[in-house]
Amino acid sequence: MTLETDIHDARVALAATFRWATRLGFHEGICNHFSLMIPGRDDLFLINAHGTHWSQITASSLMLLDGDGKIVEGEGRVEDTALYIHWRVHRALPHARCVLHTHMPYATALTSLEDQRLHMINQNCVRFHDRIVYDNDYNGLALDNDEGDRIAAALGTRDVMFMGNHGLLVVGRSLANTWDDLYYLERACENQVLAMSTGLPLREIPTQLV
């Protein structure tokens, strides 16, 4: 396959992911961002342009950036926080071939609590056992390399970050697997928020079964 084919296929797949995120309510209109490295390349990745509603994102509207965070293809600009989070995470972490950042309602609700942990109370939660980093150091908008690098360093070898007072970051080696994690993470968080709303104690799964 040629580079052009790889870029085209990645564009189509990532655009479809934005559309699904809109259908499921995982978006905030023109805000939040998804990015994807081009297969076989460590110096090219796709990300959404600033100002385009997720329901209107197409394969051709995505921006192609290089390893220095510079635009190679696409019209418009990349929102600053999108650049500094995604570019720096891709650059620092080899396993972060795909980076999905959202303010999904139930997951973000948990990041707004003093205790933002996902408790091991159902099968969807257990899927994420020992895979989550809880970042409690909210520093406002990520507007420079230092904050992007701090986020990447905090994530380390794990693939899910609960960003305190902010939202979620999920990374993975493929778009399909990362999207699958994002979906089930929100479902796990939804279950926990509903369980907590009863005011009754959470029923943790025994440690030996997790």
Side-chain angles (χ1 to χ4, degrees), residues 129-165:
H129 174 67
D130 206 29
R131 296 176 59 192
I132 301 173
V133 169
Y134 297 97
D135 180 18
N136 296 312
D137 297 323
Y138 177 68
N139 290 323
L141 298 177
L143 296 176
D144 55 36
N145 288 346
D146 288 345
E147 180 61 8
D149 292 343
R150 185 195 70 79
I151 290 170
L155 185 59
T157 59
R158 297 195 179 185
D159 44 25
V160 177
M161 175 180 280
F162 277 53
M163 307 170 81
N165 305 110

Side-chain angles (χ1 to χ4, degrees), residues 66-131:
D66 65 17
D68 294 319
K70 304 298 183 183
I71 297 172
V72 176
E73 292 178 4
E75 297 182 0
R77 71 178 185 87
V78 178
E79 195 266 333
D80 289 340
T81 62
L83 175 64
Y84 289 113
I85 292 174
H86 291 252
W87 169 40
R88 305 309 289 184
V89 170
H90 281 306
R91 184 184 180 101
L93 304 178
H95 70 291
R97 300 292 298 178
C98 178
V99 178
L100 307 182
H101 171 60
T102 73
H103 300 167
M104 301 184 297
Y106 291 99
T108 303
L110 291 186
T111 71
S112 305
L113 300 176
E114 184 66 29
D115 176 7
Q116 61 170 323
R117 288 176 300 157
L118 182 68
H119 291 265
M120 300 296 106
I121 58 174
N122 63 54
Q123 290 188 128
N124 283 348
C125 299
V126 170
R127 173 187 181 128
F128 299 101
H129 174 67
D130 206 29
R131 296 176 59 192

Side-chain angles (χ1 to χ4, degrees), residues 30-97:
I30 65 170
C31 296
N32 300 172
H33 6 89
F34 291 173
S35 61
L36 179 64
M37 299 290 291
I38 301 302
R41 298 292 295 263
D42 294 323
D43 59 344
L44 293 173
F45 68 95
L46 296 168
I47 195 167
N48 48 310
H50 179 64
T52 303
H53 195 282
W54 283 25
S55 65
Q56 298 177 326
I57 288 177
T58 62
S60 60
S61 72
L62 295 169
M63 311 289 285
L64 183 66
L65 275 61
D66 65 17
D68 294 319
K70 304 298 183 183
I71 297 172
V72 176
E73 292 178 4
E75 297 182 0
R77 71 178 185 87
V78 178
E79 195 266 333
D80 289 340
T81 62
L83 175 64
Y84 289 113
I85 292 174
H86 291 252
W87 169 40
R88 305 309 289 184
V89 170
H90 281 306
R91 184 184 180 101
L93 304 178
H95 70 291
R97 300 292 298 178

